[in-house]
């Protein structure tokens, strides 16, 4: 019987597999070997797609006549910096004494692609190949993954989608970047007084740039509208409370065109007119016409997927999505949490049945102990499978990010920030075993003559999951005062101490920050703040959980976007706005989030076997060919110059090391 090879994506992961298998290995150069098995590793990608000059040296020179570049058969090559490790892996995979290969790269599309390229370029033949699919790097999960490993061919459709994703990014990047650089690069470099300008275009990257530029221009073009509200100060015993005027059917202003929404006026004169009318009667008395008391539940939020965690860490710790991914990947590799590159926010039924293991393990995490003791008293962990936190239909590759209940020895070696991120994950997980937070609310309507004033009071009655999440209860009312409000009754007459006008103005949209842009990408360009609504939205976003942070990072690196590290707010640069205008007047559809999301959905259809790789490739080739040929005959540089001028007025030029750098005007 021959040897088995276990090939992982990184050296550290390979060592975990060797430990779990209890192999008595000897360390060799680039692998570990025992009598019965070999454990080796990639170092991320070992193979890449070849540039056009590998097909024909003449293609190294960029030329409109050679576009579109659409090879019938794609070429691949070993990445020079990691060629030594590739040769080691190739030799191992093709050894005569090896009969079985266990593919242990990351359990996802990109991990699949990393191995398939290696196998392709190493020309591996005649071996049994098994795919290991795991959700954490605990010993138990590794052994389960090996025991249940399926034939690699089971994942052929996933492999097809991985190859297509790379071909799509390659064809759009190579063709459109060269095309737009040749067509518009000179006009951009001339405008910015630089030696040259290379225009970088990508299926996802350009779409994200578009989202940020559009938002900036919405803010820039926003015209503030003033409005005027009328507020009353009403006496209740020794205290007072505020009432806000709103139009009702009995109001003198019902159906008035002077209203701003239902609670204000477009002009101050109308607010003053309302107060004058009310003050005609003296003393000023209001009668309670309605008191409504109700309880409001706030359920524990769904678990973290990567996008939600990146958004949370951006808000709480002011760190970029890329940094969050790096931290949570480290926590995963140290066995502390489950697989991070997940889009799911729920658990599988199988995991729910075994959840006691995670909870018991967390008894080794001191901050969790008081909450775990309460969870035992609730007994809520026993019925987890019947809750909204478990749904097999909402899981594709992996379930939500949760603590494994293991790896605590490694927690000491994690940075303070890393421990804080881990604590967030633990608290979100423990929260699902707690009851909802319950608020008591009282709504009071006080009528003065024909006009009604509305008052709302809210108090946290039962803390529920807020106890573990660390959030404050967002109470709007002092407890003692709330008790006094509860004594009010319908029909009571109360003295109105004063009436006043409060001026407000409409607000422009908010700029994206590094967390909200990730959520907007996840939801195909929609920034949906409401978590329940986000959970209901099906379909694919822009990019994937594994790639979104890297795309944002690249846009900042190539200076199309600017990221404020303190606030994590994202804005475009002048160069970014110019690229937006170039794309908008050449290949406008690249800026369309819905279209970009549909490409991602198509890749998922390939992975699920709903469409073939050939069908997808045909659509992709037509898209690239059609748009390339259309742009080649455009003559719109003069029109773009006007757009550059319009954008440039919002930036100032600063001399930096002999070059001109564009920075945002202070507002």
């Amino acid at each position: 019987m021959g040897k088995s090879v276990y090939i992982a994506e990184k050296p550290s992961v390979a060592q975990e597999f060797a430990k779990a298998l209890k192999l008595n290995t000897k360390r060799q150069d680039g692998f570990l070997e025992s009598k019965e098995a070999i454990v080796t590793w990639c170092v991320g990608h070992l193979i890449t797609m070849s540039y056009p000059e590998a097909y024909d040296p003449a293609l190294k020179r960029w030329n409109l006549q050679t576009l579109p570049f659409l090879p019938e058969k794609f070429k691949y090559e070993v990445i020079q910096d990691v060629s030594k490790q590739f040769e080691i892996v190739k030799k191992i995979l093709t050894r005569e004494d090896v009969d079985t290969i266990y593919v242990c790269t990351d359990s996802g599309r990109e991990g699949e692609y990393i191995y398939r390229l290696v196998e392709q370029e190493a020309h591996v033949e005649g071996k049994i190949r098994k795919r290991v699919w795991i959700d954490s790097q605990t010993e138990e999960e590794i052994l389960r993954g090996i025991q249940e490993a399926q034939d690699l061919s089971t994942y052929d459709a996933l492999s097809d989608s991985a190859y297509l994703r790379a071909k799509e990014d390659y064809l759009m990047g190579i063709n459109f970047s060269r095309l737009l650089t040749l067509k518009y690069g000179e006009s951009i470099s001339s405008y910015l007084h630089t030696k040259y300008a290379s225009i970088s275009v990508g299926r996802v990257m350009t779409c994200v740039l578009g989202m940020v530029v559009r938002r900036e221009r919405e803010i820039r073009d926003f015209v503030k509208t003033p409005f005027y509200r009328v507020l009353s100060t009403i006496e209740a015993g020794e205290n007072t409370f505020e009432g806000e005027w709103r139009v009702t059917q009995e109001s003198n202003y019902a159906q008035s065109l002077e209203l701003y929404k239902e609670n204000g006026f477009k002009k101050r004169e109308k607010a003053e007119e309302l107060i004058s009318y009310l003050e005609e009667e003296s003393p000023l008395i209001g009668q309670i016409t309605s008191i409504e008391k109700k309880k409001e539940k706030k359920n524990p939020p769904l678990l973290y997927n990567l996008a939600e965690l990146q958004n949370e860490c951006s808000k709480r710790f002011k760190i970029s999505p890329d940094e969050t991914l790096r931290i949570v990947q480290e926590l995963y590799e140290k066995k502390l949490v489950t697989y991070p590159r997940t889009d799911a926010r729920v658990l599988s039924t199988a995991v729910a049945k075994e959840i006691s293991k995670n909870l018991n393990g967390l008894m080794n995490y001191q901050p969790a102990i008081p909450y775990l003791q309460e969870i035992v008293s609730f007994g809520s962990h026993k019925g987890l499978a019947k809750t909204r936190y478990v749904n097999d239909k909402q899981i594709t590759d992996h379930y939500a990010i949760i603590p494994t209940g293991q790896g605590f020895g490694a927690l000491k070696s994690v940075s303070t920030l890393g421990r804080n991120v881990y604590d967030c994950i633990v608290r979100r997980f423990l929260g699902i075993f707690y009851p909802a937070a319950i608020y008591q609310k009282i709504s009071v309507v006080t009528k003065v003559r024909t006009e009604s004033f509305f008052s709302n009071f809210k108090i946290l009655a039962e803390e529920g999951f807020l106890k573990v999440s660390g959030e404050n209860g967002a109470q709007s009312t002092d407890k003692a005062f709330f008790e006094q409000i509860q004594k009010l009754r319908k029909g009571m007459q109360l003295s109105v101490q004063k009436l006043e006008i409060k001026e407000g103005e409409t607000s422009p949209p908010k700029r994206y920050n590094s967390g909200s842009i990730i959520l907007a990408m996840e939801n195909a360009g929609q920034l949906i703040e409401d978590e329940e609504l986000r959970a209901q939205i099906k379909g694919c976003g822009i990019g994937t959980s594994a790639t979104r942070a890297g795309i944002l990072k690249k846009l900042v690196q190539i200076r199309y976007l600017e990221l404020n590290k303190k606030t994590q707010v994202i804005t475009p640069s002048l160069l970014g706005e110019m690229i937006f205008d170039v794309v908008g007047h050449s290949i406008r559809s690249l800026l369309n989030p819905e279209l970009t999301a549909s490409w991602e959905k198509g890749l998922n259809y390939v992975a699920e076997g709903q469409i073939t790789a050939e069908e997808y490739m045909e659509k992709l080739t037509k898209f690239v060919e059609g748009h390339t040929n259309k742009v080649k005959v455009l003559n719109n540089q003069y029109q773009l110059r006007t757009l550059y001028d319009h954008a440039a007025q919002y930036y100032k030029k600063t001399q930096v090391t002999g070059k001109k750098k564009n920075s945002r005007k202070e507002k």
Side-chain angles (χ1 to χ4, degrees), residues 10-21:
K10 294 180 182 175
S12 59
V13 180
Q15 286 168 355
E16 293 303 329
F17 271 81
K19 277 187 211 169
L21 288 161

Side-chain angles (χ1 to χ4, degrees), residues 595-613:
L595 180 74
T596 306
S598 76
W599 285 105
E600 197 66 55
K601 199 160 196 168
L603 291 172
N604 274 7
Y605 285 152
V606 173
E608 293 162 4
Q610 293 186 42
I611 61 172
T612 65

Side-chain angles (χ1 to χ4, degrees), residues 154-427:
T154 310
Y155 295 86
D156 282 352
L158 179 66
S159 171
D160 286 345
S161 79
Y163 271 89
L164 285 168
R165 192 278 310 156
K167 288 173 183 176
E168 181 173 73
D169 287 350
Y170 178 88
L171 290 178
M172 287 195 189
I174 292 285
N175 284 290
F176 295 157
S177 295
R178 289 188 175 200
L179 174 69
L180 298 188
T181 298
L182 289 166
K183 195 84 180 175
Y184 305 105
E186 194 176 325
S187 68
I188 287 178
S189 62
S190 171
Y191 194 89
L192 295 176
H193 307 291
T194 56
K195 284 185 179 178
Y196 62 90
S198 176
I199 297 174
S200 190
V201 179
R203 170 180 62 100
V204 179
M205 183 178 79
T206 304
C207 183
V208 175
L209 172 67
M211 287 162 60
V212 177
V213 173
R214 270 193 293 265
R215 177 60 56 88
E216 190 65 29
R217 291 182 176 182
E218 283 171 20
I219 294 167
R220 199 178 283 160
D221 297 339
F222 184 81
V223 178
K224 291 180 178 178
T225 305
F227 58 88
Y228 304 90
R229 294 157 59 220
V230 176
L231 304 179
S232 60
T233 302
I234 302 167
E235 290 183 8
E238 296 175 0
N239 295 294
T240 60
F241 63 89
E242 189 178 88
E244 178 187 61
W245 175 83
R246 286 186 215 159
V247 71
T248 61
Q249 287 182 346
E250 296 84 17
S251 169
N252 293 339
Y253 297 92
Q255 309 300 320
S256 170
L257 297 176
E258 300 293 335
L259 291 171
Y260 174 79
K261 297 187 177 176
E262 60 169 11
N263 63 335
F265 295 97
K266 295 174 185 174
K267 293 182 179 177
R268 188 180 190 94
E269 293 79 24
K270 284 290 171 182
E272 289 170 346
E273 181 186 282
L274 170 62
I275 290 177
S276 297
Y277 162 71
L278 293 174
E279 288 180 340
E280 283 175 5
E281 290 191 0
S282 183
L284 210 52
I285 299 294
Q287 184 175 40
I288 296 176
T289 55
S290 166
I291 291 187
E292 188 182 338
K293 298 178 182 180
K294 63 178 180 181
K295 287 187 176 180
E296 183 183 83
K297 275 187 175 183
K298 184 180 180 183
N299 289 313
L302 293 169
L303 295 158
Y304 286 125
N305 62 9
L306 182 58
E308 289 287 335
L309 184 62
Q310 287 169 322
N311 182 47
E312 183 77 17
C313 290
S314 173
K315 285 192 291 189
R316 194 179 292 198
F317 308 123
K318 304 300 179 193
I319 59 174
S320 69
D322 186 60
E323 177 70 358
T324 300
L325 178 55
R326 186 195 64 75
I327 288 168
V328 75
Q329 179 69 23
E330 181 189 3
L331 296 174
Y332 167 67
E333 289 175 12
K334 291 187 172 176
K335 306 183 188 180
L336 285 154
V337 302
T338 56
Y339 189 72
R341 291 173 173 85
T342 177
D343 290 318
R345 299 194 61 201
V346 292
L347 300 174
S348 66
T349 307
V351 170
K353 286 176 183 174
E354 304 278 318
I355 209 68
S356 293
K357 292 178 182 175
N358 303 66
L359 292 167
N360 290 337
L362 282 171
M363 286 300 287
N364 293 300
Y365 182 59
Q366 196 65 35
I369 293 172
Y371 307 119
L372 290 163
Q373 289 168 341
E374 286 193 331
I375 290 166
V376 170
S377 69
F378 299 150
S380 51
H381 58 292
K382 294 172 186 173
L384 181 63
K386 295 177 182 176
T387 67
R388 72 189 191 115
Y389 306 100
V390 177
N391 189 334
D392 292 334
K393 291 178 183 176
Q394 290 179 11
I395 298 169
T396 49
D397 294 340
H398 298 277
Y399 53 80
I401 304 169
I402 61 170
T404 61
Q406 297 185 38
F408 294 105
L411 193 57
K412 293 171 188 172
S413 66
V414 175
S415 67
T416 302
L417 183 57
R419 289 196 293 273
N420 288 339
V421 173
Y422 176 71
D423 194 66
C424 276
I425 295 167
V426 171
R427 287 176 183 275

Side-chain angles (χ1 to χ4, degrees), residues 187-188 191 574 578 581-582 640-648:
S187 68
I188 287 178
Y191 194 89
L574 174 55
M578 291 169 75
D581 285 327
V582 162
L640 285 167
R641 175 79 191 209
T642 307
L643 296 172
Y644 300 162
D645 283 340
H646 182 76

